[in-house]
Amino acid sequence: MPEIEYDGVIVVGLGGFGSAAAYHLAARGETVLGFDPRLPGHTDGSSHGRTRMVRQAYFEDAAYVPLARRAWQLWHELEDAAGEHLLTASGVVGIGRIGDPVAIVHDTLDAGQQYGLPLDHLSANQIRAQFPAITVGDDYEAVFEADAGFVDPQLTVAAHHRLAKEHGAVFEQRVVLGVEHDPVLRVITADAVYRPRAVVMAVGPWAPELLAGLELPIRTRRKVVAHFTPLDDTQLTADTFPAFFVTHNDEEYYGFPVLDGQGLKIARHSSGEWCTPDTIDRTVHPHEVEELHAVLREFIPAGAGDVRDSYTCMYTMSTDEDFIIGALPEAPGLIVATGCSGHAFKFVPVIGEILADLATGRPPQVDPTFLSPARFTAAAASDVAPAAGRTRGFELA
Ligand SMILES: Cc1cc2nc3c(=O)[nH]c(=O)nc-3n(C[C@H](O)[C@H](O)[C@H](O)COP(=O)(O)OP(=O)(O)OC[C@H]3O[C@@H](n4cnc5c(N)ncnc54)[C@H](O)[C@@H]3O)c2cc1C
């Protein structure tokens, strides 16, 4: 098999993370070769559909706020560079029962306060007044963030592909069979082995298999999404209705305003069955649609019409539900981007920027060290104290 010396960066996987990394690398004049057997717009991975929520006040962990703020800036820069509308600033409302142990409202408020982000803490009456389509009992509260909303993931991936190629990146429809670092970096394909300066591995839900040799604590989870035709959409469009998340029966649900041609989208963020891209059950079952419809009937009854579409998708879960972004301690030129845990698309532009920095030895503008794969090395693992409040993460079986 021919071995090809490649004086540049190879990006493996050109979905959400990989296409952003390729764009940021190429835009800086780096030589970039990208491999992905699928074309942008495919629905096999984690970046399909028309909506991904974008927030800055980050209840998951306030450590993400600097990344979220840089991402918010970069979304606007990407829109300018692409000449396309990608981000809809509909605002985001987070709803929870007062005193709920899954303290999403208060963790959001705390993160916002820590970084001076403008947020509204709403009582039940204020929720009803500001968002008449939302029905809650008096024992509910909410947090509203105006500088938030949603982006279109498929348009984003397509824009990153186009812009990266306009800056000279070369993309090939190839499957990468493996990556080695002994210590020479090798990217193995069916008919050639490449020896690049650096590699970015961004293979989404295929990571548990393709990166198995790296022993990263990741697993793939099946997710179900449904779209409903609203009974009355007069107060459910993005100009008057925000993207939302709500805790209900110890589960976390989220959704988006009504968009032309797609109705109202809702899905469950928490839990879900483990799978692989090869074993995932792609059928959405009636009880799964009913569960989401029941949440709409409870909180947004005007949106609870007939189901019009449903499909599956995959999260790549890390054991602590934090992303895994960074160089491998044992192979500085091998940069991984995985463990999205279902909340990473909002960070795609800044993750792309950071991956480009790490692949070219530049210090990132926003420090991503808390996301480094080094946290899983034996020594580091014993120091990681679980976050208080919301139970996050899982034990690898
Ligand atoms: C239903 C759902 C809802 C979500 N909602 C939100 C949200 O509201 N807000 C938010 O911030 N995040 C959200 N997320 C998370 C977000 O969408 C993901 O974090 C993001 O899409 C991950 O992108 P990725 O690049 O890791 O994966 P992908 O976009 O799937 O890209 C992986 C790519 O790798 C390629 N590949 C695989 N194997 C190989 C190989 N051997 N060789 C070469 N290429 C290969 C694939 O073809 C694919 O194109 C959601 C995710 C899902 C599933």
Side-chain angles (χ1 to χ4, degrees):
M1 179 109 77
E3 289 226 353
I4 302 167
E5 195 74 33
Y6 183 73
D7 186 18
V9 181
I10 289 184
V11 179
V12 181
L14 298 168
F17 293 161
S19 61
Y23 163 57
H24 282 274
L25 283 160
R28 299 172 193 185
E30 288 293 333
T31 306
V32 181
L33 177 58
F35 293 141
D36 194 321
R38 299 172 185 82
L39 292 172
H42 73 81
T43 59
D44 296 345
S46 301
S47 300
H48 51 280
R50 290 176 56 194
T51 49
R52 293 290 186 272
M53 196 179 291
V54 175
R55 302 173 270 119
Q56 301 188 67
Y58 222 62
F59 65 77
E60 286 86 341
D61 187 338
Y64 282 91
V65 174
L67 286 172
R69 297 177 89 174
R70 176 71 183 147
W72 185 256
Q73 221 181 328
L74 288 171
W75 278 115
H76 291 94
E77 290 178 17
L78 177 60
E79 287 192 317
D80 294 345
E84 274 189 72
H85 174 72
L86 301 171
L87 169 66
T88 301
S90 64
V92 169
V93 66
I95 305 161
R97 202 188 285 274
I98 296 169
D100 187 329
V102 185
I104 282 186
V105 172
H106 288 277
D107 290 350
T108 303
L109 290 165
D110 293 349
Q113 198 171 23
Q114 205 175 322
Y115 288 89
L117 297 173
L119 297 171
D120 300 330
H121 186 191
L122 307 175
S123 68
N125 281 337
Q126 290 168 320
I127 298 170
R128 294 184 203 116
Q130 192 165 341
F131 307 114
I134 297 178
T135 55
V136 288
D138 291 343
D139 55 344
Y140 274 79
E141 60 183 346
V143 53
F144 176 70
E145 183 174 16
D147 289 339
F150 57 94
V151 290
D152 185 314
Q154 286 188 220
L155 288 182
T156 299
V157 172
H160 276 140
H161 271 251
R162 178 167 56 78
L163 292 169
K165 285 192 247 183
E166 282 171 12
H167 284 92
V170 174
F171 292 167
E172 295 179 7
Q173 272 193 276
R174 275 170 192 271
V175 174
V176 167
L177 303 174
V179 174
E180 292 173 354
H181 54 93
D182 62 359
V184 176
L185 279 175
R186 284 188 177 79
V187 175
I188 300 147
T189 70
D191 49 17
V193 172
Y194 296 78
R195 296 208 301 257
R197 243 187 299 120
V199 182
V200 172
M201 289 297 291
V203 291
W206 290 267
E209 276 165 60
L210 202 62
L211 305 182
L214 305 180
E215 295 180 0
L216 295 170
I218 45 178
R219 274 183 95 174
T220 302
R221 183 171 260 174
R222 174 177 174 270
K223 304 307 302 181
V224 168
V225 175
H227 297 247
F228 295 90
T229 301
L231 299 168
D232 169 7
D233 67 1
T234 46
Q235 292 167 332
L236 291 175
T237 50
D239 50 341
T240 58
F241 193 75
F244 62 90
F245 52 85
V246 56
T247 50
H248 182 57
N249 296 341
D250 298 331
E251 298 282 5
E252 294 163 34
Y253 299 87
Y254 65 95
F256 301 89
V258 168
L259 296 182
D260 290 347
Q262 81 156 22
L264 192 149
K265 168 183 169 179
I266 183 168
R268 188 180 72 211
H269 176 63
S270 48
S271 63
E273 63 209 75
W274 300 115
C275 67
T276 73
D278 299 328
T279 63
I280 182 171
D281 173 5
R282 289 288 187 187
T283 305
V284 175
H285 302 280
H287 73 273
E288 295 175 312
V289 173
E290 168 48 27
E291 177 194 345
L292 299 173
H293 196 258
V295 176
L296 282 185
R297 293 198 302 270
E298 174 94 20
F299 293 99
I300 311 171
D306 294 338
V307 63
R308 58 183 295 150
D309 189 12
S310 61
Y311 52 90
T312 61
C313 190
M314 289 175 280
Y315 288 0
T316 311
M317 302 295 295
S318 68
T319 44
D320 58 10
E321 296 194 22
D322 288 319
F323 315 149
I324 305 176
I325 306 285
L328 290 190
E330 67 274 25
L334 179 43
I335 320 290
V336 295
T338 188
C340 82
S341 302
H343 63 106
F345 206 91
K346 63 180 73 61
F347 298 98
V348 151
V350 67
I351 289 174
E353 182 182 60
I354 288 168
L355 293 170
D357 291 333
L358 296 172
T360 53
R362 230 158 90 163
Q365 194 169 336
V366 180
D367 182 9
T369 308
F370 74 107
L371 300 174
S372 163
R375 72 184 187 275
F376 296 113
T377 55
S382 58
D383 302 340
V384 177
R390 268 179 89 244
T391 47
R392 299 181 71 209
F394 62 92
E395 297 288 327
L396 265 187

